[in-house]
Amino acid sequence: MQEDKPPVFDSFDQTAVCADVLAGALAGLTVNRERLRRRCERPALLATDLADYLVTKACPSALRITPWARW
């Protein structure tokens, strides 16, 4: 087997695991469309607002920072 194949297979396996986790997280998701619409109308929805909200919900700092740092 070529040397570049194992990382490709590992990436596929990791993606499959992530897809399973995402499916589980979304299974219990409830969306309040009206509230979401009102929140999106705000002209100054900032990342700091999101961070402040997550702090009030006692979200661990790793979850507050990591996903958005990649955007």
Side-chain angles (χ1 to χ4, degrees):
M1 185 174 352
Q2 295 175 350
E3 292 180 17
D4 63 338
K5 298 292 191 241
V8 172
F9 295 138
D10 184 52
S11 297
F12 178 82
D13 292 341
Q14 293 300 318
T15 301
V17 169
C18 290
D20 290 342
V21 170
L22 180 60
L26 295 179
L29 179 69
T30 302
V31 177
N32 183 330
R33 291 176 186 254
E34 180 58 30
R35 184 175 181 192
L36 182 60
R37 184 190 62 75
R38 286 193 317 263
R39 296 288 181 171
C40 288
E41 288 176 350
R42 290 179 50 201
L45 182 61
L46 304 174
T48 52
D49 294 332
L50 176 60
D52 290 342
Y53 171 78
L54 292 173
V55 167
T56 64
K57 295 297 182 184
C59 183
S61 61
L63 293 178
R64 286 194 311 253
I65 296 169
T66 305
W68 295 279
R70 294 185 186 141
W71 291 0

